[in-house]
Amino acid sequence: SIPWLPLMVGSFVWGSNLYECGKPWLYTTAAYLSGAPWAEAAAAAGGCAGLGAAAFGLCMLKARAPRFDRQAGHTVLPSRLAILWALWVIASLIMSTPAVVYVLSTSLPPDNTLNIGSGVLAVFEHNGALLLFTMSSLIIPSIARSLVNKVTGADEPNLTSELVVFARMVTMLLIPF
């Protein structure tokens, strides 16, 4: 990502025409990017190229990573995998509840139409980060490990990792936004 930093910051500064005044450090971000089609195109191209390079780098790391072999003679039936993923999608949606409540607590006014009290909003706003950290680092991996062991009958670290990554993406990125 370092090679793309000058391209991105340069295109942001070049195209920062949204305000004549403002915070100078925001000129180096996409916040003030407006009215300069070439700068916007350069920022979009730089973003795509940076993400492509990051994906390529991850593929290269994956190719060099040590492989966890399945237990000798153990195969997971496709029907069990389907059941596992169906259960995991439901569990991921349920585990997204704290993230949704945290987002609501930071954006809802105290006198909201959902009848969520200001005390509840304040508790989630101030403690939401700790709850989300606990969910992501402790609860999701342990539930994934347990579910994989129960459904497949064996310890499958690769499958467990896939479930954890999926749940973290759902709970931290997709559902809250």
Side-chain angles (χ1 to χ4, degrees):
S1 62
I2 298 225
W4 281 272
L5 187 62
L7 171 69
M8 298 300 289
V9 171
S11 63
F12 292 150
V13 170
W14 179 36
S16 58
N17 300 321
L18 188 59
Y19 300 111
E20 291 182 16
C21 60
K23 298 180 179 160
W25 63 273
L26 283 177
Y27 287 108
T28 62
T29 68
Y32 292 163
L33 191 61
S34 176
W38 289 103
E40 292 173 13
C48 289
L51 288 174
F56 178 73
L58 287 174
C59 288
M60 296 302 294
L61 284 174
K62 184 180 177 185
R64 293 181 182 203
R67 304 221 181 259
F68 296 103
D69 292 329
R70 294 185 182 268
Q71 291 181 358
H74 186 266
T75 58
V76 180
L77 298 173
S79 60
R80 289 202 176 253
L81 279 176
I83 291 169
L84 177 69
W85 276 102
L87 291 172
W88 192 246
V89 167
I90 293 168
S92 296
L93 293 174
I94 292 169
M95 290 185 287
S96 298
T97 305
V100 170
V101 175
Y102 175 71
V103 169
L104 288 176
S105 71
T106 59
S107 60
L108 282 178
D111 58 337
N112 58 71
T113 59
L114 297 175
N115 294 325
I116 300 174
S118 60
V120 173
L121 293 174
V123 166
F124 271 96
E125 184 175 356
H126 292 49
N127 300 314
L130 179 63
L131 180 61
L132 294 175
F133 169 77
T134 304
M135 183 71 77
S136 178
S137 63
L138 299 175
I139 296 172
I140 288 175
S142 63
I143 292 175
R145 212 173 295 115
S146 174
L147 190 62
V148 166
N149 286 338
K150 285 187 172 132
V151 172
T152 65
D155 183 32
E156 298 280 344
N158 288 341
L159 188 55
T160 302
S161 298
E162 290 174 11
L163 295 179
V164 169
V165 169
F166 175 81
R168 285 179 178 164
M169 182 185 69
V170 168
T171 59
M172 302 298 163
L173 294 175
L174 296 180
I175 298 295
F177 300 106

